[in-house]
Amino acid sequence: MPFRTISSKIVEAQVQPGQRLFSQRGAMIAYTGDVAFTPNIQGGQGGFGSMIGRRLAGESTPLMTVEGNGKVLFGHGGHHVEVIELRQDTLYVEADRLLAFDGSLEQGTMFMGSQGGVMGMVRGQVSGHGLFTTTLQGNGSVAVMAHGGVIRLPIAPDRPIHVDPQAYVAHHGDVRNRLSSALGWRDMVGRGSGEAFQLELTGNGTVYVQASEEKL
């Protein structure tokens, strides 16, 4: 179910009979046609066990199920919106950044320590996102939110990407991530830029970075 970009902060979804999508509660701006909005207890596709895992991990964001026949406009908090297309791929993204996504995508949770070991856990603490992140897997569209707009940076085996953990939004592809220290003597005596840690992503894929270090 593709999203159509209306502006940098609003997307439109075409809802068709027999299909559904999920969105953050309160994200509906306007709609036309015969469309129903209902609270989603499980919080997306993935079953009861997946729901429990997300709640225990603190990655459970209140969602609503959108079904029917019509068009719906989505936006939230004046945040910029970026549409990401998945083709048998997995998107790694913080739950509170999800504006809306295809109901066919399976939602799960990944422990940050599984990519980068202990440093993966440190990354969660430094970025303020915690030790877990949400995964969306399959074929479909995802609309994510960010501050100040989003840029896409390609990741290649010979071209790793280093980003500020606070500016990180999401990534997909065959990508590994780890937190590296940029701490030098200038940082220790208070003369550095303050960028003591960097998130290093290697492999093949794409990382999405926002033009701000502000949290949602």
Side-chain angles (χ1 to χ4, degrees):
M1 184 180 298
F3 295 96
R4 185 168 71 95
T5 300
I6 302 299
S7 73
S8 62
K9 300 179 181 180
I10 300 175
V11 294
E12 177 189 79
Q14 175 72 53
V15 184
Q16 299 177 344
Q19 297 180 338
R20 63 178 177 177
L21 61 84
F22 300 106
S23 75
Q24 272 207 30
R25 295 184 192 177
M28 187 275 290
I29 294 177
Y31 72 92
T32 60
D34 184 16
V35 182
F37 304 87
T38 57
N40 182 268
I41 299 176
Q42 289 190 0
Q45 193 93 321
F48 184 76
S50 179
M51 175 198 70
I52 295 298
R54 289 193 300 275
R55 289 190 175 179
L56 290 176
E59 274 291 306
S60 180
T61 295
L63 298 176
M64 59 183 177
T65 302
V66 184
E67 298 174 292
N69 187 12
K71 295 181 179 180
V72 184
L73 297 179
F74 292 106
H76 190 61
H79 300 308
H80 286 78
V81 181
E82 179 76 8
V83 176
I84 301 172
E85 301 291 339
L86 296 179
R87 296 291 178 264
Q88 288 301 322
D89 201 354
T90 301
L91 179 71
Y92 301 84
V93 60
E94 306 307 317
D96 61 358
R97 291 189 178 274
L98 291 173
L99 177 67
F101 58 95
D102 245 317
S104 61
L105 294 172
E106 183 173 346
Q107 190 177 6
T109 305
M110 185 199 78
F111 179 54
M112 295 297 292
S114 67
Q115 289 197 16
V118 174
M119 291 305 288
M121 293 186 281
V122 175
R123 176 207 143 182
Q125 295 297 323
V126 172
S127 65
H129 294 148
L131 302 183
F132 295 83
T133 195
T134 291
T135 60
L136 291 172
Q137 185 175 19
N139 287 304
S141 302
V142 184
V144 300
M145 298 179 290
H147 278 289
V150 174
I151 58 172
R152 307 181 183 204
L153 300 175
I155 304 167
D158 60 343
R159 189 175 62 243
I161 299 292
H162 296 81
V163 303
D164 185 328
Q166 301 286 1
Y168 168 86
V169 173
H171 78 268
H172 67 85
D174 183 15
V175 175
R176 300 286 297 176
N177 74 81
R178 72 181 184 91
L179 198 71
S180 60
S181 174
L183 189 65
W185 70 271
R186 288 182 180 274
D187 297 277
M188 297 184 68
V189 298
R191 295 176 57 84
S193 65
E195 307 295 338
F197 292 96
Q198 299 170 354
L199 182 62
E200 181 183 22
L201 299 107
T202 58
N204 280 294
T206 303
V207 59
Y208 298 83
V209 181
Q210 69 178 15
S212 169
E213 295 183 351
E214 189 176 350
K215 300 177 185 178
L216 293 185

